[in-house]
């Protein structure tokens, strides 16, 4: 079973990586990019008996810093 | 208009970050995790006239290292 976790910075938290990408895109001539937010996507190959609660616990303990990040779990 | 780009390592390319996460999950007592792949998700706020080709060009030039990474574009 495969789960996909999206981890993004919370709104309002400064995203220096996103700003750097936005700046670089401008330098490459890509106008009209008003904002860039960068996050992580983590694909987990799990045992068939894994549950959403298990993945949630993985996020809370390791995969996301819940002070500044939010996460979304998707089973694929 | 918002576009979301998923950048993942190609199959067969070693993913040290993913391995580190898998190892750490094991250390936290999460058994049954046979594989972990970590990638980037980049959310772009674009002008309304932006096209998929524009975003594709951004990926080819900056957002993805197409030698070892693949990317998927999604308009949200």
């Amino acid at each position: 079973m495969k789960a996909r976790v999206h981890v993004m910075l919370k709104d309002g938290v400064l995203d220096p990586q996103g700003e750097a990408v936005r700046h670089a895109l401008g330098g490459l001539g890509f106008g009209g990019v008003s904002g860039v937010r960068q996050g992580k996507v983590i694909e987990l190959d799990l045992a068939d008996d894994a549950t959403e609660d298990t993945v949630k616990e993985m996020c809370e303990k390791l995969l996301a810093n819940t002070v500044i990040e939010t996460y979304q779990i998707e089973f694929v």
Side-chain angles (χ1 to χ4, degrees), chain A residues 3-72:
Chain A
R4 183 178 295 148
V5 177
H6 286 88
V7 179
M8 296 296 290
L9 286 170
K10 289 181 177 176
D11 290 340
V13 176
L14 186 67
D15 181 0
Q17 265 185 315
E19 275 309 300
V21 169
R22 191 174 66 82
H23 191 71
L25 286 171
L28 287 170
F30 294 106
V33 181
S34 54
V36 177
R37 302 282 288 179
Q38 182 159 328
K40 293 180 289 195
V41 57
I42 302 163
E43 290 185 354
L44 301 161
D45 292 325
L46 303 169
D48 288 339
D49 61 352
T51 63
E52 178 142 2
D53 285 344
T54 315
V55 182
K56 202 167 183 308
E57 202 184 337
M58 290 179 186
C59 292
E60 296 282 334
K61 284 187 173 175
L62 181 72
L63 303 180
N65 173 352
T66 51
V67 173
I68 59 169
E69 291 173 330
T70 59
Y71 60 86
Q72 285 175 336

